[in-house]
Amino acid sequence: MASKEQAKEWKQVLAQHAATHLPLKYGQVIQIGSGTTLNYLMDEIIRVQTAEDPALDLVIVTSNLQVFWRGRNALYDHPKQFANTQVILTGGLFHSSLDSLVGAYAAEGIRADVILPDTLFFGAAGLSFQGGVSLSYQFDVELATQVAYATRQVHLRVLLCDHTKLGKRRPFRADLSIESLLEKATDCLVLSTLPDDDIEARENIAKEQEALTDSLKRLASNLKYRRNNFTFRLLERDGRVNGEISLKVIRGDAPDPVFASTGP
């Protein structure tokens, strides 16, 4: 299988898990960022909502034009299920490579408190936990919007980032930390993938897990975040959860779940 097809497959694994294991509820407000993984997520949300009766009547706020077009087409193709679903664009400067809206106006639209999202999904071109969390991106003009997604008020913040991006650092680094990801969120969940046929990638993932565990151990004693949770979850090719690192478990607030081995 070509690497491009493999990348698509892993993104779809993340999207399907996010849409089916983080249950969509009636009238829920969802915020969705830019990137191809988020496009696949919108496809999965549409698939799930198409099967629902009665319809979920979601409110979807996005800077991603692909998400917007998918929502518009769903309304035309499935008027019964999507008649009351609202898709709201943030506004901002059009960026052709991202097919999204970026810049100061987009960032303001993402942070606007006139709409308060229940769940927010965003992505990164590079993610590392070594030396503190590092989220990096391909274009400097997207930093303002990505930081807005990473720091705005929300109940659950979800970062979708497959294993090909773990341990990678792209040209432009966002000024973020685990603390800033949790500052205005009750929970932060990072979803990634675990290849079954790439020893080097699995070794890299193990290093990232070790670094994250060390960071969460230090955070566990900080009373400011005693009611927050940060989770890193690995998914196999078939969508099964293979392993999970959780601030709640490290803090002793929840039992340690049992999964298959995540070693190389």
Side-chain angles (χ1 to χ4, degrees):
M1 183 184 296
S3 59
K4 186 175 182 180
E5 285 300 310
Q6 286 181 329
K8 177 181 177 180
E9 180 183 14
W10 288 116
K11 291 173 182 180
Q12 289 175 325
V13 168
L14 293 176
Q16 185 174 29
H17 182 90
T20 57
H21 289 72
L22 307 176
L24 302 176
K25 300 176 182 178
Y26 179 85
Q28 192 172 22
V29 180
I30 299 170
Q31 197 154 22
I32 302 178
S34 63
T36 53
T37 305
L38 285 307
N39 300 344
Y40 292 129
L41 172 64
M42 185 60 175
D43 290 336
E44 289 297 322
I45 290 174
I46 291 170
R47 182 185 63 80
V48 170
Q49 185 165 351
T50 301
E52 291 290 331
D53 189 14
L56 295 174
D57 293 352
L58 302 175
V59 178
I60 299 172
V61 185
T62 187
S63 59
N64 186 331
L65 295 178
Q66 284 293 320
V67 167
F68 171 78
W69 292 122
R70 282 163 163 78
R72 185 204 65 166
N73 292 341
L75 173 60
Y76 292 157
D77 295 339
H78 308 281
K80 177 182 177 182
Q81 289 90 347
F82 289 89
N84 295 315
T85 291
Q86 302 176 61
V87 183
I88 301 172
L89 282 173
T90 60
L93 175 69
F94 172 64
H95 191 283
S96 58
S97 295
L98 296 170
D99 207 7
S100 292
L101 303 173
V102 299
Y105 288 114
E108 286 300 315
I110 291 166
R111 286 193 295 262
D113 58 9
V114 66
I115 299 176
L116 297 178
D118 302 289
T119 305
L120 182 153
F121 300 95
F122 74 119
L127 170 65
S128 179
F129 297 113
Q130 300 186 56
V133 69
S134 173
L135 276 73
S136 53
Y137 297 90
Q138 193 65 33
F139 305 101
D140 61 339
V141 293
E142 64 178 313
L143 288 180
T145 53
Q146 297 293 359
V147 169
Y149 281 120
T151 58
R152 77 142 299 151
Q153 186 74 44
V154 67
H155 173 67
L156 173 61
R157 195 184 322 280
V158 184
L159 173 61
L160 304 179
C161 192
D162 68 74
H163 68 272
T164 64
K165 301 171 183 176
L166 283 178
K168 303 296 190 299
R169 296 179 189 270
R170 299 308 180 194
F172 298 97
R173 183 178 182 274
D175 185 15
L176 295 166
S177 63
I178 292 176
E179 289 85 349
S180 62
L181 290 169
L182 284 175
E183 187 74 28
K184 293 184 178 181
T186 306
D187 293 281
C188 184
L189 170 63
V190 179
L191 291 178
S192 193
T193 51
L194 183 70
D196 52 8
D197 55 356
D198 190 334
I199 294 177
E200 183 179 354
R202 291 171 73 94
E203 290 175 343
N204 176 61
I205 291 168
K207 292 177 182 178
E208 293 295 334
Q209 289 178 295
E210 182 179 359
L212 175 60
T213 299
D214 290 341
S215 294
L216 293 182
K217 283 180 178 178
R218 291 191 291 270
L219 190 63
S221 60
N222 190 329
L223 295 179
K224 181 178 180 180
Y225 302 99
R226 67 187 182 277
R227 300 186 185 280
N228 299 89
N229 190 31
F230 188 100
T231 304
F232 175 76
R233 182 178 298 164
L234 284 171
L235 306 176
E236 294 186 354
R237 191 184 301 273
D238 61 3
R240 287 182 299 174
V241 178
N242 183 286
E244 187 172 283
I245 298 171
S246 168
L247 178 58
K248 279 189 175 181
V249 171
I250 291 173
R251 200 165 46 212
D253 295 343
D256 195 354
V258 178
F259 301 108
S261 172
T262 60

mmCIF file of all heavy atoms in Angstrom, residues 33-34 110 122-124 137 142-151 174 176:
data_model
loop_
_atom_site.group_PDB
_atom_site.id
_atom_site.type_symbol
_atom_site.label_atom_id
_atom_site.label_comp_id
_atom_site.label_asym_id
_atom_site.label_seq_id
_atom_site.Cartn_x
_atom_site.Cartn_y
_atom_site.Cartn_z
ATOM 1 N N GLY A 33 -11.368 22.099 13.645
ATOM 2 C CA GLY A 33 -10.277 22.846 13.056
ATOM 3 C C GLY A 33 -9.955 22.417 11.640
ATOM 4 O O GLY A 33 -10.712 21.696 10.984
ATOM 5 N N SER A 34 -8.785 22.843 11.162
ATOM 6 C CA SER A 34 -8.383 22.575 9.782
ATOM 7 C C SER A 34 -7.523 21.325 9.691
ATOM 8 O O SER A 34 -6.958 20.861 10.682
ATOM 9 C CB SER A 34 -7.615 23.776 9.228
ATOM 10 O OG SER A 34 -6.415 23.971 9.967
ATOM 11 N N ILE A 110 -12.988 31.837 16.396
ATOM 12 C CA ILE A 110 -12.825 30.576 17.119
ATOM 13 C C ILE A 110 -13.020 30.782 18.614
ATOM 14 O O ILE A 110 -13.644 29.970 19.296
ATOM 15 C CB ILE A 110 -11.419 29.990 16.845
ATOM 16 C CG1 ILE A 110 -11.317 29.532 15.386
ATOM 17 C CG2 ILE A 110 -11.116 28.812 17.780
ATOM 18 C CD1 ILE A 110 -9.906 29.254 14.921
ATOM 19 N N PHE A 122 -9.134 19.452 16.951
ATOM 20 C CA PHE A 122 -8.143 20.139 16.131
ATOM 21 C C PHE A 122 -6.978 19.200 15.875
ATOM 22 O O PHE A 122 -6.970 18.049 16.334
ATOM 23 C CB PHE A 122 -7.704 21.454 16.781
ATOM 24 C CG PHE A 122 -6.799 21.322 17.980
ATOM 25 C CD1 PHE A 122 -5.521 21.880 17.964
ATOM 26 C CD2 PHE A 122 -7.208 20.672 19.139
ATOM 27 C CE1 PHE A 122 -4.685 21.781 19.053
ATOM 28 C CE2 PHE A 122 -6.377 20.573 20.241
ATOM 29 C CZ PHE A 122 -5.108 21.126 20.203
ATOM 30 N N GLY A 123 -5.992 19.663 15.092
ATOM 31 C CA GLY A 123 -4.900 18.792 14.710
ATOM 32 C C GLY A 123 -3.562 19.488 14.812
ATOM 33 O O GLY A 123 -3.459 20.627 15.269
ATOM 34 N N ALA A 124 -2.513 18.793 14.381
ATOM 35 C CA ALA A 124 -1.161 19.346 14.370
ATOM 36 C C ALA A 124 -0.367 18.642 13.289
ATOM 37 O O ALA A 124 -0.615 17.471 12.970
ATOM 38 C CB ALA A 124 -0.479 19.173 15.730
ATOM 39 N N TYR A 137 3.420 23.418 13.162
ATOM 40 C CA TYR A 137 2.590 23.518 11.969
ATOM 41 C C TYR A 137 3.423 23.922 10.765
ATOM 42 O O TYR A 137 4.557 24.389 10.888
ATOM 43 C CB TYR A 137 1.455 24.511 12.227
ATOM 44 C CG TYR A 137 0.545 24.046 13.333
ATOM 45 C CD1 TYR A 137 0.805 24.396 14.665
ATOM 46 C CD2 TYR A 137 -0.524 23.213 13.073
ATOM 47 C CE1 TYR A 137 -0.009 23.926 15.698
ATOM 48 C CE2 TYR A 137 -1.346 22.751 14.101
ATOM 49 C CZ TYR A 137 -1.076 23.105 15.398
ATOM 50 O OH TYR A 137 -1.874 22.634 16.420
ATOM 51 N N GLU A 142 -1.136 30.062 10.203
ATOM 52 C CA GLU A 142 -2.161 29.264 10.881
ATOM 53 C C GLU A 142 -1.950 29.204 12.391
ATOM 54 O O GLU A 142 -2.793 28.667 13.120
ATOM 55 C CB GLU A 142 -2.227 27.840 10.309
ATOM 56 C CG GLU A 142 -0.981 27.009 10.510
ATOM 57 C CD GLU A 142 -1.115 25.587 9.962
ATOM 58 O OE1 GLU A 142 -2.137 24.927 10.230
ATOM 59 O OE2 GLU A 142 -0.192 25.156 9.258
ATOM 60 N N LEU A 143 -0.834 29.736 12.882
ATOM 61 C CA LEU A 143 -0.547 29.622 14.310
ATOM 62 C C LEU A 143 -1.619 30.271 15.177
ATOM 63 O O LEU A 143 -2.029 29.719 16.206
ATOM 64 C CB LEU A 143 0.819 30.230 14.623
ATOM 65 C CG LEU A 143 2.034 29.426 14.154
ATOM 66 C CD1 LEU A 143 3.317 30.156 14.541
ATOM 67 C CD2 LEU A 143 2.030 28.022 14.732
ATOM 68 N N ALA A 144 -2.102 31.445 14.781
ATOM 69 C CA ALA A 144 -3.102 32.150 15.592
ATOM 70 C C ALA A 144 -4.369 31.323 15.746
ATOM 71 O O ALA A 144 -4.937 31.239 16.843
ATOM 72 C CB ALA A 144 -3.418 33.507 14.972
ATOM 73 N N THR A 145 -4.819 30.692 14.661
ATOM 74 C CA THR A 145 -6.044 29.898 14.741
ATOM 75 C C THR A 145 -5.810 28.610 15.518
ATOM 76 O O THR A 145 -6.665 28.189 16.305
ATOM 77 C CB THR A 145 -6.586 29.573 13.337
ATOM 78 O OG1 THR A 145 -5.553 28.979 12.548
ATOM 79 C CG2 THR A 145 -7.078 30.822 12.649
ATOM 80 N N GLN A 146 -4.656 27.971 15.328
ATOM 81 C CA GLN A 146 -4.385 26.723 16.037
ATOM 82 C C GLN A 146 -4.258 26.968 17.538
ATOM 83 O O GLN A 146 -4.752 26.158 18.348
ATOM 84 C CB GLN A 146 -3.123 26.066 15.488
ATOM 85 C CG GLN A 146 -3.209 25.641 14.028
ATOM 86 C CD GLN A 146 -4.196 24.510 13.777
ATOM 87 O OE1 GLN A 146 -4.841 23.994 14.688
ATOM 88 N NE2 GLN A 146 -4.327 24.122 12.512
ATOM 89 N N VAL A 147 -3.615 28.064 17.921
ATOM 90 C CA VAL A 147 -3.528 28.398 19.342
ATOM 91 C C VAL A 147 -4.912 28.699 19.907
ATOM 92 O O VAL A 147 -5.237 28.322 21.044
ATOM 93 C CB VAL A 147 -2.575 29.593 19.557
ATOM 94 C CG1 VAL A 147 -2.679 30.123 20.992
ATOM 95 C CG2 VAL A 147 -1.139 29.182 19.257
ATOM 96 N N ALA A 148 -5.765 29.341 19.104
ATOM 97 C CA ALA A 148 -7.135 29.610 19.553
ATOM 98 C C ALA A 148 -7.892 28.312 19.807
ATOM 99 O O ALA A 148 -8.601 28.182 20.812
ATOM 100 C CB ALA A 148 -7.863 30.459 18.513
ATOM 101 N N TYR A 149 -7.752 27.336 18.913
ATOM 102 C CA TYR A 149 -8.387 26.036 19.133
ATOM 103 C C TYR A 149 -7.837 25.355 20.394
ATOM 104 O O TYR A 149 -8.575 24.693 21.134
ATOM 105 C CB TYR A 149 -8.163 25.113 17.934
ATOM 106 C CG TYR A 149 -9.074 25.385 16.762
ATOM 107 C CD1 TYR A 149 -8.558 25.728 15.512
ATOM 108 C CD2 TYR A 149 -10.455 25.288 16.892
ATOM 109 C CE1 TYR A 149 -9.386 25.977 14.430
ATOM 110 C CE2 TYR A 149 -11.298 25.540 15.817
ATOM 111 C CZ TYR A 149 -10.754 25.878 14.590
ATOM 112 O OH TYR A 149 -11.585 26.138 13.528
ATOM 113 N N ALA A 150 -6.547 25.517 20.628
ATOM 114 C CA ALA A 150 -5.882 24.828 21.730
ATOM 115 C C ALA A 150 -6.143 25.457 23.091
ATOM 116 O O ALA A 150 -5.871 24.829 24.119
ATOM 117 C CB ALA A 150 -4.372 24.774 21.477
ATOM 118 N N THR A 151 -6.692 26.679 23.105
ATOM 119 C CA THR A 151 -6.808 27.389 24.377
ATOM 120 C C THR A 151 -8.190 27.946 24.679
ATOM 121 O O THR A 151 -8.409 28.476 25.772
ATOM 122 C CB THR A 151 -5.797 28.563 24.431
ATOM 123 O OG1 THR A 151 -6.046 29.452 23.332
ATOM 124 C CG2 THR A 151 -4.366 28.057 24.366
ATOM 125 N N ALA A 174 3.821 26.283 17.879
ATOM 126 C CA ALA A 174 2.842 27.059 18.643
ATOM 127 C C ALA A 174 3.306 27.185 20.091
ATOM 128 O O ALA A 174 3.896 26.265 20.649
ATOM 129 C CB ALA A 174 1.477 26.370 18.583
ATOM 130 N N LEU A 176 2.536 26.649 23.258
ATOM 131 C CA LEU A 176 1.551 25.898 24.026
ATOM 132 C C LEU A 176 2.249 24.971 25.017
ATOM 133 O O LEU A 176 3.431 24.660 24.869
ATOM 134 C CB LEU A 176 0.658 25.076 23.094
ATOM 135 C CG LEU A 176 -0.236 25.856 22.134
ATOM 136 C CD1 LEU A 176 -0.803 24.941 21.058
ATOM 137 C CD2 LEU A 176 -1.371 26.543 22.907
#
